[in-house]
Amino acid sequence: MRTMRTRRHSLSVRGGVRRLFAAAGRGGGPDHVPGRAHIPLPTRSPGSGATVFARAGAAAVLVAGALAGVTATTGTARADTSGPCDIYAAGGTPCVAAHSTTRALYASYNGPLYQVRRASDNSTRNIGVLDVGGYADAAAQDSFCSGTTCLITIIYDQSGRGNNLTQAPGGGAAGGPDNLANATAAPTTVGGHKAYGVFVAPGTGYRDNHTNGIATGDNPEGMYAIFDGTHYNGGCCFDYGNAETDSNDDGNGTMEAIYFGNIKVWGYGSGNGPWIMADLENGLFSGVNQRYNAGDPTINHRYTTAIIKGGPNHWAIRGGNAQSGALSTFYDGPRPNVPGYNPMRKQGAIILGTGGDNSKGAQGTFYEGVMTSGYPSDATENAVQANITAAGYSNSSGGTGTGALHAVGAGKCLDVPNSSTTAGTQLQIWDCGGGANQTWARTPSGQLTVYSGGSQMCLDAYNNQTSAGTKVVTWPCNGGANQQWQLNSDGTVIGTQSGLCLDVTGASTANGAPAELWPCNGGANQQWNLD
């Protein structure tokens, strides 16, 4: 039993899931250039469940037309001929917020996706798309941030409503302002193009308290997000969606957000998690009650589509693999059977990475997500899922491989000292000799394995630590997030759990120099090549 290496989770619980959403000014700044005109909200207010859901048949016809234009175009600068928000609009439930750091979510969008700020001089730059309706211009970020570190300061709303996500202020559960995400900590590819997601370490959070068009009260809405299904914890609360605007926990039913993680303080699903659940304030719900729903499964695809939608006394959880396949429905039924959730009292703020009261002990990675006006039909969401899978998300530019892991700056190889079979042996660099203790294999699940002394071991961040200077060791392979690694086209090897780079300590070039985790800085001692 591996008792010395238990994972430590951060959980802030003060009288239930309390949500405090401190008032803040609108982000975005003078250089925000919306790419679409405002989309008018439907003027008809829902008065009953029948009113909300009657449009499904017509939506299916509209969506079929939109889906006919969804084609995979891997290797081009442009995304699909219809984006997710075009499909939602065709279904009668237009996007009122659309956030992504990887691609345009409308076929006609040509504005900025996000803004970064570099540490060297605190200057900022908007990162846009390679082409109208296309993928993120990651090369612009790489050039701007070369030789220094960058943070993501704004995630722009593509809907034209100005619902931009900026640094979250303090809240009732934890002080602030929150941390901003390292701009290079979640590299990915989409459509064959390099891009970056939003890596939320504990303490990181974004929000907008002053929104335009987001559902309030018991009005219907839908939302989806694409998350890294391997990056999560049991902290509260990694959310994306609707929250309070007055910096307080205003009680049951004042939130409606997607939650992703494996906390079990409130509701939970089958297996060990993570689960897609709804954060409805003062409770995470996997179904109609406040506890267990066997129909809400553990879901941990590397790229996971997560959906929550809700209307008058009706809501649903759906999810699937964002790289392939269809959506599944994990719950579809009435509101929770405890007071305060029917009718809902949503307030219409937007959060990413935290709970409504700034509970910020959770972690996760976000790539894209939207919120809609109106309750989307399953047909609409199925068409959006087809668009997502066609987009071509991938966590590797090089696939699997086996060979020596060369430390480029030192001209040496990552080495298991003396072919040790002892779990916890810290790795080092050494002259390349071609031995088994220097031969690494990258698995489809993102592990880096080595046979040392005849035993297979995994590259491991010691004790699940995520701080600078964490030792990189060998440990029996167990599928943990601290054994997941991203090999990137820029030569970095990044720990999925920590967002830190595999680093030769002190930029040493000497035999025996230890390997560790360190914030990515573009140094030669963080450049690797799996040969």
Side-chain angles (χ1 to χ4, degrees):
M1 182 177 294
R2 192 173 175 179
T3 57
M4 63 179 287
R5 291 165 51 88
T6 57
R7 181 172 300 182
R8 293 171 292 185
H9 299 309
S10 172
L11 177 62
S12 174
V13 184
R14 300 185 183 182
V17 184
R18 301 176 61 230
R19 306 284 183 258
L20 181 60
F21 195 173
R26 171 168 301 285
D31 56 357
H32 175 47
V33 183
R36 290 181 63 87
H38 288 195
I39 302 172
L41 285 169
T43 56
R44 181 176 177 182
S45 297
S48 68
T51 303
V52 176
F53 310 116
R55 65 167 69 102
V61 175
L62 289 167
V63 170
L67 184 55
V70 177
T71 56
T73 54
T74 300
T76 68
R78 185 176 174 83
D80 301 325
T81 55
S82 291
C85 286
D86 300 306
I87 297 169
Y88 276 115
T93 52
C95 293
V96 289
H99 304 109
S100 176
T101 58
T102 63
R103 64 171 181 147
L105 301 178
Y106 293 89
S108 62
Y109 187 75
N110 195 29
L113 300 179
Y114 61 104
Q115 182 188 87
V116 295
R117 184 180 69 222
R118 64 187 178 197
S120 58
D121 60 2
N122 284 326
S123 61
T124 61
R125 176 162 180 174
N126 285 340
I127 306 301
V129 290
L130 293 167
D131 194 5
V132 177
Y135 302 101
D137 186 2
Q141 175 183 311
D142 290 340
S143 175
F144 181 74
C145 300
S146 178
T148 186
T149 58
C150 277
L151 301 175
I152 297 174
T153 48
I154 304 171
I155 306 169
Y156 289 111
D157 172 21
Q158 300 178 30
S159 77
R161 291 181 173 271
N163 294 321
N164 304 323
L165 294 174
T166 58
Q167 186 174 23
D178 291 359
N179 298 327
L180 295 169
N182 184 315
T184 61
T188 186
T189 59
V190 57
H193 297 272
K194 183 180 180 181
Y196 293 99
V198 183
F199 187 93
V200 175
T204 302
Y206 294 82
R207 67 197 314 153
D208 185 353
N209 288 341
H210 306 287
T211 61
N212 176 7
I214 305 302
T216 58
D218 207 30
N219 288 333
E221 67 179 349
M223 61 194 78
Y224 86 82
I226 298 178
F227 300 136
D228 178 346
T230 69
H231 183 211
Y232 62 90
N233 68 4
C236 180
C237 289
F238 182 69
D239 290 350
Y240 173 72
N242 195 323
E244 299 95 336
T245 60
D246 66 353
S247 303
N248 289 296
D249 174 352
D250 290 325
N252 296 359
T254 54
M255 287 183 63
E256 186 166 61
I258 304 168
Y259 164 81
F260 187 74
N262 67 342
I263 194 171
K264 296 182 72 172
V265 173
W266 302 278
Y268 59 95
S270 60
N272 295 320
W275 308 285
I276 302 167
M277 297 192 286
D279 191 340
L280 304 179
E281 189 53 282
N282 293 325
L284 302 176
F285 289 88
S286 60
V288 71
N289 60 43
Q290 286 186 301
R291 299 304 296 170
Y292 175 65
N293 172 20
D296 192 17
T298 291
I299 182 168
N300 56 3
H301 304 293
R302 176 59 180 80
Y303 296 91
T304 297
T305 305
I307 291 175
I308 296 291
K309 56 183 174 179
N313 200 26
H314 190 178
W315 70 287
I317 305 173
R318 306 188 77 203
N321 185 341
Q323 293 180 291
S324 64
L327 294 171
S328 298
T329 300
F330 304 143
Y331 176 77
D332 188 348
R335 290 291 187 182
N337 54 8
V338 291
Y341 299 100
N342 182 31
M344 294 286 285
R345 298 181 294 132
K346 295 175 283 193
Q347 294 189 11
I350 306 173
I351 54 174
L352 171 61
T354 72
D357 66 349
N358 202 41
S359 301
K360 53 183 180 180
Q363 63 187 28
T365 298
F366 171 91
Y367 299 102
E368 64 179 69
V370 311
M371 300 175 69
T372 73
S373 172
Y375 190 100
S377 69
D378 285 0
T380 297
E381 292 167 342
N382 293 343
V384 169
Q385 169 70 357
N387 175 279
I388 291 168
T389 59
Y393 275 97
S394 174
N395 66 323
S396 173
S397 59
T400 58
T402 301
L405 192 57
H406 291 275
V408 175
K412 300 183 185 297
C413 283
L414 189 66
D415 177 281
V416 182
N418 300 314
S419 298
S420 174
T421 60
T422 302
T425 298
Q426 185 169 13
L427 296 166
Q428 63 181 14
I429 58 169
W430 200 269
D431 293 332
C432 300
N437 66 322
Q438 292 183 351
T439 302
W440 296 86
R442 187 179 189 281
T443 73
S445 61
Q447 295 172 318
L448 285 165
T449 64
V450 64
Y451 278 90
S452 182
S455 299
Q456 186 186 47
M457 309 286 274
C458 266
L459 189 73
D460 178 290
Y462 182 72
N463 201 28
N464 288 285
Q465 294 174 11
T466 58
S467 58
T470 294
K471 295 190 298 183
V472 177
V473 302
T474 56
W475 199 271
C477 300
N478 56 28
N482 65 320
Q483 294 184 352
Q484 305 291 318
W485 305 91
Q486 296 171 345
L487 276 66
N488 304 306
S489 58
D490 63 359
T492 55
V493 177
I494 294 180
T496 297
Q497 184 182 60
S498 66
L500 300 176
C501 273
L502 181 64
D503 177 288
V504 180
T505 302
S508 175
T509 60
N511 280 337
E516 63 182 7
L517 295 180
W518 200 261
C520 300
N521 56 30
N525 63 319
Q526 294 183 349
Q527 304 296 309
W528 303 85
N529 178 26
L530 183 61
D531 193 4

